[in-house]
Amino acid sequence: MIACDDMPVRSADPLTDDVGPFNRLSASQANTWDDCPRLWWYQNKMRLKFPQTPPLFLGRAVEECVCRVLMESPGLVFANAPVDIIANGVDHLLPLFDDELPDDFLSWCESRVDVHWPGIRDSMHEEWSKDARKAGNWHEYSMEAYRDMCVSALRMHLDEVRICMETVSQTELNNWRDGKRPEIPAPDGRSKEGPNPIARKGDCTLVEAWEIARPWFVDPDAPLFSHNVIHPEHWFQGEYDLVYRHCGKIRIMDLKASRGGGDRSGNYIEQLR
C-alpha cells in the first residue's frame, strides 16, 4: 500500500541489497517467462540484444505526451499556448479569467496534445533512427493512431477529474486552496508556497478538480529509470505510470500504447493484475 503523501518510488538500500540492479525481476520479465522461458534466458542471463521496433519508441512518446499535458493546467494555459509555456515553471503565469477558461476540457486536452505530440514524435523517431538495433519501418505505423491514444488517456483522466469534483471532501479542498501539498507532490511546475493562485470559493470547480486529481507520474524531464520502485527485499523493481491519490484512495493506472493486436500485448491483462 502506498501512503497518500508518498511518491511511489523506493530506492535500493545499498547496505542490504544483495541482488543488484541487473538481477531484479520485473513484470515484463515475468510475462516473458510465461510466454517463453528460453527467450527469458536469452534476454536476462545471456544478455542478448534484441531488435528495437518503432512501437517501443512510440509507446514512450505517448506516455511523455500525456504527462506533458497533465503537468499543465487549463486554469493557467491557453489551448494554443506554445509548447514550452511551463518550461520555467508555472509560478510566473497569471491565472486565466473565468471567461478565458476552456468551455470543453476534452477539446483543451486535444489541443494541448496537438501542440506537444509533433515534437515528441519526431524526437523519438530520431532516437529510433540512431539506434544500432533498430528494426522495422517507422512509416508503417499510423502516427495519427498514436496521437489518438494520447487523447484517450486524457479522456480517462477527465473521468478522474469529474469524480474528484463530485466527491472531494471539504478538508481536502480547503487544504489544496491553502497551498498544502503532499510531501512529494505530482509534477506541476510549482515551486512557491502559499495559497494556490487559481483557487476559487464555494464548491469545487472543474479547474480545481484538475489540479487536485493530478496523478503522480514520472516527470518526463527526469533521467531514465530514476523513479523506479524497488521491493524492500530488492528482488523486484518497476515503474508506475499514473498514481491517483485524490479523495483518500490510491488508484494505479498503467498506460499501454497498444490496441491489443501485437505480440507484446497478449499478456497486458495479466500484467495489470
Side-chain angles (χ1 to χ4, degrees):
M1 178 63 70
I2 304 167
C4 286
D5 283 352
D6 288 343
M7 180 171 66
V9 171
R10 182 193 295 271
S11 300
D13 181 350
L15 298 179
T16 60
D17 181 9
D18 57 359
V19 176
F22 302 109
N23 294 311
R24 305 191 214 285
L25 187 63
S26 67
S28 59
Q29 281 192 50
N31 289 333
T32 300
W33 175 268
D34 287 340
D35 289 342
C36 179
R38 184 181 294 274
L39 178 60
W40 179 90
W41 179 268
Y42 287 156
Q43 288 181 334
N44 298 284
K45 291 300 181 180
M46 297 184 68
R47 304 293 180 187
L48 298 182
K49 302 299 183 181
F50 287 80
Q52 300 293 293
T53 59
L56 299 176
F57 291 78
L58 286 166
R60 287 168 50 198
V62 168
E63 185 172 337
E64 178 178 345
C65 185
V66 171
C67 291
R68 295 281 179 195
V69 177
L70 288 175
M71 290 179 71
E72 298 176 339
S73 170
L76 294 171
V77 176
F78 285 108
N80 61 350
V83 68
D84 59 351
I85 185 67
I86 66 168
N88 296 317
V90 302
D91 293 328
H92 67 289
L93 299 179
L94 295 176
L96 302 184
F97 292 109
D98 288 345
D99 60 357
E100 295 175 319
L101 297 176
D103 295 324
D104 182 346
F105 274 39
L106 181 58
S107 294
W108 180 88
C109 289
E110 290 199 57
S111 295
R112 297 312 297 161
V113 166
D114 290 336
V115 168
H116 287 284
W117 173 248
I120 296 171
R121 174 202 63 205
D122 293 347
S123 177
M124 284 296 174
H125 183 205
E126 182 179 3
E127 185 176 337
W128 173 81
S129 298
K130 293 179 179 179
D131 195 300
R133 294 184 287 127
K134 71 176 184 292
N137 184 347
W138 184 274
H139 301 291
E140 288 182 353
Y141 297 89
S142 169
M143 297 299 110
E144 189 67 18
Y146 281 95
R147 175 265 183 199
D148 290 346
M149 291 180 192
C150 300
V151 176
S152 294
L154 291 163
R155 184 180 290 111
M156 177 196 70
H157 171 67
L158 285 175
D159 290 340
E160 289 290 327
V161 171
R162 294 186 184 94
I163 291 172
C164 177
M165 185 177 69
E166 295 169 359
T167 63
V168 65
S169 69
Q170 194 63 48
T171 298
E172 185 175 6
L173 177 59
N174 289 341
N175 285 342
W176 176 83
R177 287 174 172 172
D178 291 340
K180 297 178 181 178
R181 291 152 62 83
E183 181 178 350
I184 304 179
D188 61 2
R190 289 193 66 204
S191 58
K192 289 184 178 179
E193 298 181 355
N196 197 295
I198 61 175
R200 300 295 198 268
K201 294 182 179 180
D203 294 337
C204 182
T205 66
L206 199 58
V207 168
E208 291 179 309
W210 174 283
E211 297 292 319
I212 298 169
R214 178 183 284 113
W216 179 91
F217 49 85
V218 175
D219 188 326
D221 293 319
L224 287 176
F225 309 116
S226 62
H227 286 169
N228 277 347
V229 56
I230 298 175
H231 190 277
E233 297 177 0
H234 302 102
W235 58 271
F236 189 92
Q237 74 177 29
E239 190 176 74
Y240 294 116
D241 290 343
L242 307 177
V243 180
Y244 286 92
R245 302 179 286 183
H246 64 87
C247 301
K249 296 181 180 179
I250 301 296
R251 288 170 300 284
I252 299 173
M253 310 290 187
D254 201 29
L255 296 178
K256 297 297 184 186
S258 170
R259 298 191 183 280
D263 59 358
R264 294 175 58 88
S265 59
N267 48 29
Y268 279 170
I269 294 177
E270 184 65 25
Q271 181 175 339
L272 290 171
R273 292 176 61 187

